Amino acid sequence: MNLRPDVLLAIFCMALATYAARAGGYAVLRLWRPPRFVEAMLTHMPGCIFVSFILPSVAAGGPWHVLAAGVAVVMMVFTRMLTASLLAGVGALWFMLG
Amino acid sequence: MSASSPVTFTWGGFYEGFRLVLPLLPSFAPFGMVVGVLSAGEGLSLLEAGVMSAMVFAGTSQLVALGAWGSPVPVLAVTLAVFVINMRMAPMSAALAPWFNGLQGWRLWASLFTVTDHSFALSVNEMRRGKRDAALLLGLGVPSWLSWVAMVCLGHVLAGVVTLRPGHPLLFAGLATMCALLVTLWRGRGDMLPWGVAGAVGLTVQAMGLGQPWPVLAGALIGSAAGAWRDRSRA
C-alpha cells in the first residue's frame, strides 16, 4: 500500500490536465460572450461529439464491431431501454466473435 | 434553452440524476476492471490505482497513460497524452453552459469535475427538455465516480485471477452504451446534416492516421459548424 512520489506527481499532473480539459470549455464561455454562430454550433455539439467519437472507434474494431453497434442502436430505437440495448450490443459481438 | 427560469440546485434534482444513471453503472464495470488489472501490471499499488481513478476519473485517458507508464514515470508524456485524449470534454462543458451559468463556488467546481461522456448525454437531454435543476449533474456524477473507483480497485485486487484481455467482447460495453445514448440525442431530421458531416470528418481524420482525440475534435467542430451554417441560411 505504498504511494511513491513520482507516481503521485504523475497522478497529480494527469488530474490537473483532465480538469483543465473538462472545465476549460465552459471557462472560456464564462469569460467571453460568443458570437451567435458559435452559440448555434453549441446546440449541435452534443450529437456531433458522440457521432465523431463512436464512428471511428467502432470502425477501427472491424465489421463485427460495426454490426454490434448497429444492433445496440436499433435496440435503443425500438425499446428506448439503455440496459437492454447495451446488453444486446455486447451480446451480439460476443456471439459473432464466439 | 432560454434563461427564462433560474437554475436551481436541489436534492430532488440530485435524486433524479441518481435514478437516471443507476442502470448504466454495470456497463462501466468491465472497463474499470481492465484499468485496474493494467495498473497492477504496471506495478501501481492498490492505493495508487485508487487515487489515480479518483482524481483523474477519465477511463480512456487512464488506459492510454498506463500504456506509456514506466519507472520512473514519464510525467510529461503521460500528462500530455491524458490532456489530448480528454480535450473532447471541453466542448461538452461549453454545451452545458446554461446550467453552469447558474452555479457558483463548490457547486460549479464539483459539477465541472463530474462531466463524462455518459453524464453529458443524459444531462443534455434533460436540459433540452427544459429541466433547470443543475444538481442532476452531481446526481449522475457521484455514483459514477464511486463505482469507477470501486471497479478499478476490484480489477487491481483480482489481477492475476481474471483475464480480461484487450479485445474481449465485454469491453464493448462502453461503446455500446454510447451508441444507445446517441439515439437519445437525436432530435429529428435536422440532425442529419451535422451528424453526417461529423461522422464523415471523424472517419476521414482517422483514415489519415490520426488517433483520438483528433477525429472527435475535428468531427465535432466541423459537424456543428455545418449545422450552424445551415440554421443561419434558413433563418
Side-chain angles (χ1 to χ4, degrees), chain B:
Chain B
M1 280 196 285
S2 69
S4 48
S5 53
V7 170
T8 57
F9 194 88
T10 69
W11 278 111
F14 183 92
Y15 177 71
E16 214 166 320
F18 180 76
R19 208 175 42 80
L20 277 172
V21 81
L22 217 51
L24 283 186
L25 296 183
S27 74
F28 314 145
F31 192 28
M33 284 178 67
V34 164
V35 170
V37 170
L38 280 175
S39 45
E42 291 299 330
L44 268 76
S45 69
L46 178 61
L47 183 62
E48 289 166 346
V51 169
M52 181 198 282
S53 302
M55 287 182 66
V56 180
F57 186 42
T60 310
S61 69
Q62 287 176 243
L63 203 64
V64 171
L66 287 168
W69 216 252
S71 186
V73 186
V75 175
L76 190 64
V78 296
T79 305
L80 267 178
V82 162
F83 183 70
V84 168
I85 302 278
N86 289 334
M87 268 158 61
R88 73 175 185 286
M89 298 199 275
M92 293 187 188
S93 70
L96 288 169
W99 276 3
F100 289 134
N101 280 334
L103 299 180
Q104 304 283 341
W106 73 266
R107 293 171 171 175
L108 176 62
W109 300 115
S111 302
L112 281 167
F113 175 75
T114 64
V115 172
T116 56
D117 297 316
H118 67 280
S119 81
F120 171 67
L122 293 170
S123 51
V124 153
N125 269 324
E126 298 302 307
M127 197 171 79
R128 283 175 175 170
R129 283 193 198 126
K131 292 264 169 64
R132 305 292 294 170
D133 197 330
L136 194 124
L137 273 168
L138 279 186
L140 294 165
V142 170
S144 308
W145 180 75
L146 287 173
S147 70
W148 174 248
V149 176
M151 285 306 140
V152 171
C153 289
L154 186 66
H156 190 283
V157 170
L158 293 179
V161 183
V162 290
T163 46
L164 208 54
R165 291 180 204 294
H168 193 283
L170 266 182
L171 294 179
F172 187 63
L175 268 179
T177 307
M178 289 184 74
C179 288
L181 287 171
L182 176 68
V183 173
T184 69
L185 290 175
W186 177 259
R187 289 173 298 179
R189 274 164 59 188
D191 281 335
M192 228 139 67
L193 172 77
W195 287 29
V197 171
V201 169
L203 286 173
T204 308
V205 170
Q206 174 164 275
M208 285 158 55
L210 293 167
Q212 296 289 5
W214 307 116
V216 60
L217 285 179
L221 281 176
I222 299 175
S224 55
W229 179 77
R230 193 260 335 263
D231 294 349
R232 195 185 53 174
S233 45
R234 262 190 196 167

Side-chain angles (χ1 to χ4, degrees), chain A residues 2-4 6 11 13 17-19 21-22 25-26 29-30 41 43-44 49-54 56 76 83 93, chain B residues 23 43 45 48 56-57 73 79 82-83 86 90 93-94 100-101 109 112-113 115 117 128 178 180 206 224 231:
Chain A
N2 54 332
L3 202 57
R4 290 159 291 177
D6 65 323
I11 292 173
C13 292
T18 306
Y19 195 81
R22 280 199 166 106
Y26 173 65
L29 285 189
R30 187 116 169 179
M41 274 177 73
T43 67
H44 289 292
I49 295 174
F50 268 65
V51 171
S52 54
F53 182 79
I54 294 171
M76 188 64 187
T83 315
L93 185 65
Chain B
S45 69
E48 289 166 346
V56 180
F57 186 42
V73 186
T79 305
V82 162
F83 183 70
N86 289 334
S93 70
F100 289 134
N101 280 334
W109 300 115
L112 281 167
F113 175 75
V115 172
D117 297 316
R128 283 175 175 170
M178 289 184 74
Q206 174 164 275
S224 55
D231 294 349

Side-chain angles (χ1 to χ4, degrees), chain A residues 25-71:
Chain A
Y26 173 65
V28 168
L29 285 189
R30 187 116 169 179
L31 298 173
W32 163 78
R33 177 151 181 89
R36 283 177 64 183
F37 188 79
V38 175
E39 283 188 341
M41 274 177 73
L42 287 174
T43 67
H44 289 292
M45 204 59 101
C48 289
I49 295 174
F50 268 65
V51 171
S52 54
F53 182 79
I54 294 171
L55 218 54
S57 309
V58 169
W64 299 127
H65 281 74
V66 176
L67 217 60
V71 169

